[in-house]
Amino acid sequence: MKGATTNICYNLLDRNVNEKKLGDKIAFYWEGNEPGDSAKITYSELLHKVCQFANVLRSQGVKKGDRISIYMPMILELVVAMLACARIGALHSIVFAGFSADSLCERILNCGCSLLITADAFYRGDKLINLKQIADEALQKCKEKGSPLKKCIVVKHLGREEVAVDGTCSKSPPLKRLCQDIQTPWNPAMDMWWHELMSSASTECEPEWCDSEDELFILYTSGSTGKPKGVLHTVGGYMLFAATSFKYVFDYQPEDVYWCTADIGWITGHSYLTYGPLANGATSVLFEGVPTYPDVGRMWSIVDKYKVTKFYTAPTAIRLLMKHGEEPVKKHSRKSLKVLGSVGEPINPEAWLWYYRVVGEERCPIVDTFWQTETGGHMLTPLPAATPMKPGSATFPFFGVVPAILNESGEELEGEAEGYLVFKQPWPGIMRTLYGNHQQFETTYFKKFPGYYVTGDGCRRDKDGYYWITGRIDDMLNVSGHLLSTAEVESALLEHAAISEAAVVSHPHPLKGECIYCFVTLRDGHEFTKNLMDELKKQVREKIGPIATPDYIQYAPSLPKTRSGKITRRILRKIAKNDQDLGDISTLANPGIIKHLFNGRCDTKQ
Ligand code: PRX
């Protein structure tokens, strides 16, 4: 209805508490990194906390349309922070807590955030991450670049009082590590403790009534130019799409306990850990840790602890656990499980079958869901127990989604075919723009094939009409389900004084799906040593984050190029794989280099 107003936070919380009478229902079971460290929150408790924090934000001068940067571990306060933004019409821009200070700074600057919400520190497995320190580095860089960001709200998570009392810990031994006295760097001019601000905030807060096309959030995803793109979603369409797809794709039932293992810093955590489940009044698990800590049975022990019914994870986690065999899985009952989901990258049939046979004991349908940050929700997916499955295929379009496969000239292919995956008409959850750059939005997604939304993925349709994603066909890499561009890794390498040229290609990897293989040429006076290789890996980690750490770095006396000077990554990909079938190389300006590069391949782990 034109002129109608809504608020997504109201729909997720007030409506469930007041109209659906779900106030006492658990919204989240929080499971900490350390077994034994856990908490839970009901819908009415969540509503109160969100209202309190929304009031805190308002008291700090935040208003509708402002951008708020959130850089937090997987804790309940992260959900509270994002919904508080949504309640007052501010846009959250969540940055995955595994990203570096440079990456955080770049994202804060790009959308002009006025406030940052972060936490003191957290553990990922046995690794301590001093988040506030990284955030401070980012804020310092932002300040140097003229950012207007003047305020930072910090959750005391690792150092929280109920765990660490005067440096001693009253809890059982495994929790002792939480008590360690971490030094949280503090800047009194801008830093504020979350709990201090919350203590005096009211638990009532009138939502900001929004138009369905008002902006909801920005989430950055890698762009092929090397600069991250600020994907912008709006209130109405996104809400509808996240809620509906969650309901049908997981066959949501009120008694379900649902667990999505994705981090909220990615789109899966936005749509299928926060907005979709809460819109349906679901009970979810929010897990802070990693699948392998303290042991490789952790996922299944959590499934049993909370009697999880619907479980959603990434192929990379399945492959990792598969490597450790069936025993750690079978030690746990898992009899509560009903539906298993997969997302983020193509799932190879071997991993699919292991997931189906070992984890789900052939009783749980698998929903292999293909979608993107840009699409807001599922695009190709089976509906559990209704769609006959084929291992490795995302099967058919979700309601309202109209896919097509095009050839290079933009012609639609019928029947059995392989080509570019596109969508022919918009759907409610489609991104509305790239923040601050509508022109780039048009060129990236709509220019190559006018009239279609271009995914950037290749796809095959078989004789039965099933869709099979073949992976990215642009300059993107999908490492453990995380999208990176070759250009961003290259520019991180090029910042090193020893490097004159760099070319990065994706390379098959048994656990990560794809990994990063780099070719580098050196400036005069530099030598390719183990030390240099380590420095380059460190450089990429610091510029982007640990997920972008190169697996292979090969010295290249020069790079194969076309006569017009373009690096031919197609050939480099084949060299990395030792695939001698190079096709046509007559357009190369320097074909002689190819033999050298084959001889210099890195075929063992560096
Ligand atoms: O290449 C596809 C792959 O992940 C890309 C989107 O990445 P991102 O925007 O980070 O969102 C990830 C979570 C939705 C896609 O272009 N991808 C995602 N899901 C699948 C997939 N590839 C194959 N099968 C999937 N189920």
Side-chain angles (χ1 to χ4, degrees), residues 129-141:
I129 308 208
N130 240 316
L131 202 63
K132 176 63 167 48
Q133 202 175 313
I134 307 172
D136 276 6
E137 271 172 51
L139 292 180
Q140 182 55 34
K141 287 173 200 269

Side-chain angles (χ1 to χ4, degrees), residues 546-592:
I547 50 169
T549 309
D551 287 73
Y552 301 98
I553 302 180
Q554 177 177 346
Y555 166 65
S558 67
L559 295 170
K561 288 184 186 166
T562 61
R563 294 209 175 85
S564 58
K566 249 186 115 182
I567 297 171
T568 48
R569 291 191 179 69
R570 176 184 69 81
I571 289 174
L572 290 173
R573 248 193 306 274
K574 294 210 167 185
I575 292 171
K577 275 202 281 192
N578 204 13
D579 176 354
Q580 309 274 344
D581 181 13
L582 296 182
D584 181 15
I585 54 165
S586 63
T587 55
L588 288 187
N590 55 345

Side-chain angles (χ1 to χ4, degrees), residues 268 343-346 368-373 457 469 472 478 483:
T268 309
V343 60
E345 52 184 313
D368 173 5
T369 59
F370 166 84
W371 58 295
Q372 305 178 302
T373 305
D457 283 289
I469 305 294
R472 299 293 300 198
N478 192 327
L483 217 52

Side-chain angles (χ1 to χ4, degrees), residues 135-265:
D136 276 6
E137 271 172 51
L139 292 180
Q140 182 55 34
K141 287 173 200 269
C142 285
K143 193 169 153 199
E144 286 158 16
K145 294 183 178 166
S147 154
L149 197 148
K150 297 260 163 356
K151 292 176 175 178
C152 177
I153 299 179
V154 188
V155 175
K156 196 181 248 189
H157 171 57
L158 205 57
R160 61 199 193 271
E161 264 92 41
E162 69 262 36
V163 177
V165 184
D166 301 333
T168 59
C169 184
S170 54
K171 302 228 171 173
S172 52
L175 288 178
K176 281 239 164 76
R177 61 188 312 152
L178 297 178
C179 311
Q180 69 165 256
D181 185 19
I182 52 150
Q183 294 298 322
T184 305
W186 203 253
N187 173 2
M190 67 189 302
D191 294 342
M192 293 166 279
W193 284 117
W194 168 290
H195 58 275
E196 289 180 7
L197 296 169
M198 288 286 270
S199 65
S200 56
S202 157
T203 56
E204 277 174 32
C205 173
E206 177 67 10
E208 182 78 38
W209 297 107
C210 301
D211 186 86
S212 65
E213 286 301 306
D214 278 348
E215 300 162 328
L216 174 62
F217 68 78
I218 300 164
L219 182 59
Y220 284 88
T221 184
S222 291
S224 55
T225 57
K227 287 255 166 261
K229 301 174 295 194
V231 170
L232 184 118
H233 284 286
T234 51
V235 174
Y238 176 81
M239 172 163 68
L240 175 76
F241 202 55
T244 315
S245 51
F246 174 79
K247 178 172 168 177
Y248 290 105
V249 172
F250 296 107
D251 181 30
Y252 170 67
Q253 303 294 329
E255 61 283 2
D256 275 335
V257 176
Y258 164 84
W259 181 20
C260 166
T261 68
D263 194 287
I264 293 181

Side-chain angles (χ1 to χ4, degrees), residues 292 296 319-328 354:
T292 47
V296 295
R319 288 190 296 263
L320 173 71
L321 297 176
M322 200 170 131
K323 198 180 79 172
H324 296 279
E326 299 182 10
E327 198 260 8
W354 190 84

